[in-house]
Amino acid sequence: MATLRWEAMPALLSARDAPVCCVVRGALVVLGGDTSLEHKSGAASCSTVEILSEGKGAFVKLPPLSCGKVESAATVAVEESDSAAGQVLLLGGPGEYDRSGSTVHLVDLATGVCTPQPNLLEARSFFAAAMLPDGRVVCAGGGA
């Protein structure tokens, strides 16, 4: 069993609430979120992406998401050698009129380009997702 250890980390370049994040190639990637910090759903969602690489002392800005603003979604790292910075699946989150969305995009972190993928079976926001060893992605919880 791993030993749990907490440590301080550098601040994000832009403070935000409800971003999505995952680890890609050993680096922490933070996508989107609400930059108003007033908890007004969709009030100031953003498309910014920041990365904290192992051994670095600060977050660095990556290209913004071409698919637009995102918050309260889920991400899963995708092992792809085709991208200079790696790729993530961006799943769900609030869609039009703050209703949960079912969209899925493959995001190239080096360019910010979002390529549409088959939609989720059910719309979701505020949920968790994980990739199983066989490559399937599972989602749990969240609102519909």
Side-chain angles (χ1 to χ4, degrees), residues 116-136:
Q117 303 296 307
N119 283 352
L120 297 170
L121 297 176
E122 294 182 29
R124 292 179 182 269
S125 59
F126 300 101
F127 67 104
M131 185 174 290
L132 299 175
D134 65 7
R136 291 180 297 156

Side-chain angles (χ1 to χ4, degrees), residues 13-54:
L13 298 173
S14 300
R16 62 192 77 197
D17 187 25
V20 293
C21 62
C22 63
V23 175
V24 178
R25 298 182 182 170
L28 175 62
V29 179
V30 180
L31 303 94
D34 182 347
T35 56
S36 73
L37 299 180
E38 295 175 9
H39 305 289
K40 296 178 183 174
S41 182
S45 295
C46 67
S47 61
T48 60
V49 180
E50 298 181 27
I51 187 168
L52 178 64
S53 297
E54 192 170 355

Side-chain angles (χ1 to χ4, degrees), residues 20 33 44 64 81 85-86 97 111 136:
V20 293
S81 59
Y97 307 113
T111 62
R136 291 180 297 156

